[in-house]
Amino acid sequence: MCIKACPTNALYWGTGYVGVIEDLCVYCGACVLNCMVDNCIKIERKREDGTTERFSKPSAVIKLAERCNSKKRFERVKTNAATLRRSRKEKDDELAWC
């Protein structure tokens, strides 16, 4: 199931193991999520910020995705809050002239 789940066909069946062609792998984690055996496929990737992530269990893939998504959500809230404060201040300044 894990070999079929790979969107780039980076996995192959070896003698008793599943191999990964590193040049084709996009490190999406679909193979790990669909594999019936924990720790069968070990994925290691470097993020743009230089951190290294390793995962071989579905729970690890989900935790990594949630951590990335929570960082994005936090940045979005922070940006929106700054925009709302600016617009609120502009409205307060307009009302002060009345």
Side-chain angles (χ1 to χ4, degrees), residues 22-67:
E22 295 290 329
D23 293 339
L24 296 177
C25 185
V26 293
Y27 307 103
C28 65
C31 56
V32 175
L33 289 172
N34 287 287
C35 191
M36 294 186 297
V37 180
D38 284 349
N39 294 325
C40 176
I41 303 170
K42 295 178 186 339
I43 303 294
E44 183 177 317
R45 67 179 177 192
K46 273 200 167 186
R47 300 213 45 95
E48 293 174 1
D49 61 0
T51 59
T52 301
E53 298 173 337
R54 293 175 185 89
F55 49 91
S56 59
K57 294 181 181 179
S59 60
V61 175
I62 293 168
K63 285 177 187 176
L64 286 171
E66 183 58 33
R67 187 174 32 210

Side-chain angles (χ1 to χ4, degrees), residues 66 68-78:
E66 183 58 33
C68 291
N69 290 337
S70 65
K71 286 180 186 178
K72 291 176 186 175
R73 282 193 302 269
F74 179 74
E75 289 299 319
R76 204 172 312 126
V77 167
K78 196 165 76 172

Side-chain angles (χ1 to χ4, degrees), residues 3 11-20:
I3 294 173
L11 300 175
Y12 62 92
W13 181 251
T15 307
Y17 69 96
V18 176
V20 179

